[in-house]
Amino acid sequence: MEDEKNPSGRTKGAGDATDGPKAPDHNQASKEVDASEAGIGGLDDEIGTEEITICSKDKKKYTISKKAARMSKLIQTTIEGDSTCSEIELFHIEGDIVERIVKYMQYHETVRPQEIEKPIKSNRMVDLVDSFDAKFCEVGQETMFKLLLAANYMDIKPLLLLMCAKVASLLKGKTPQQIRKTFNIRGDYTPEEEEEVRNEYKNLLG
């Protein structure tokens, strides 16, 4: 049998390619990208299901998902530095405060914190944030300031803003004398010191 000739007139041998270079299969490439993306998503899901233990100053331990705990930049940085980390010690924060913060992060794992308008328009927290956060703020002054300091230490910005708004809500519309009474502040502040306190919450008070 004679060798078949190609259109150019050259005899086509057994080792010759029959169709030339094969065009890229874009559909296949798309499938590979999709698979890659799915793998990344799976990793995120895995991180979300892993847990980490937070140990308080008084050695109380609280378990929370790593996904929720990453709301704290302090914890997020620790996890990123050591992916095998399973426990974090907070030497400066008491157990009851850690417990409250864990509940806050667990709630906001799925519910985005409501942005607080500045300056605040009301001294009622329920008018500024959702019902969970408003109730979360219903604490005594000592606990309020401990939560504020803990949020600052753990670098949880939404919680820090929430507690600052709570403090501002107690200052809003009050005279210096009323503020002293509310916060049990000594009465010998100079006008300059009083102005310094007001400037600290200026953005929230307006």
Side-chain angles (χ1 to χ4, degrees), residues 104-139:
Y104 176 88
M105 293 191 293
Q106 286 173 330
Y107 173 74
H108 285 295
E109 179 179 357
T110 55
V111 179
R112 186 182 183 87
Q114 185 173 326
E115 186 175 349
I116 300 173
E117 190 176 354
K118 302 175 186 177
I120 59 173
K121 303 299 183 184
S122 170
N123 54 12
R124 291 181 358 119
M125 291 303 294
V126 72
D127 296 331
L128 307 175
V129 294
D130 69 18
S131 58
F132 177 91
D133 282 359
K135 187 173 182 180
F136 184 87
C137 290
E138 292 178 3
V139 294

Side-chain angles (χ1 to χ4, degrees), residues 8-124:
S8 65
R10 186 173 66 86
T11 301
K12 194 185 293 185
D16 291 336
T18 57
D19 298 317
K22 188 175 181 181
D25 187 342
H26 295 294
N27 289 333
Q28 180 64 27
S30 174
K31 290 176 183 177
E32 290 174 358
V33 170
D34 290 343
S36 175
E37 289 175 349
I40 293 173
L43 178 60
D44 288 341
D45 292 341
E46 184 179 346
I47 291 174
T49 58
E50 288 182 358
E51 293 185 332
I52 191 165
T53 299
I54 302 176
C55 185
S56 69
K57 174 183 177 181
D58 43 355
K59 304 303 180 184
K60 294 179 181 178
K61 296 186 177 184
Y62 305 90
T63 302
I64 185 173
S65 73
K66 285 188 175 181
K67 182 179 178 182
R70 288 166 75 96
M71 191 173 202
S72 161
K73 297 301 180 185
L74 173 68
I75 296 179
Q76 179 181 339
T77 301
T78 303
I79 293 173
E80 288 176 351
D82 179 7
S83 60
T84 64
C85 177
S86 60
E87 183 170 309
I88 290 180
E89 293 191 22
L90 300 176
F91 299 103
H92 309 294
I93 307 177
E94 298 164 356
D96 61 326
I97 300 300
V98 173
E99 183 178 12
R100 289 176 184 273
I101 292 175
V102 164
K103 288 178 180 178
Y104 176 88
M105 293 191 293
Q106 286 173 330
Y107 173 74
H108 285 295
E109 179 179 357
T110 55
V111 179
R112 186 182 183 87
Q114 185 173 326
E115 186 175 349
I116 300 173
E117 190 176 354
K118 302 175 186 177
I120 59 173
K121 303 299 183 184
S122 170
N123 54 12
R124 291 181 358 119

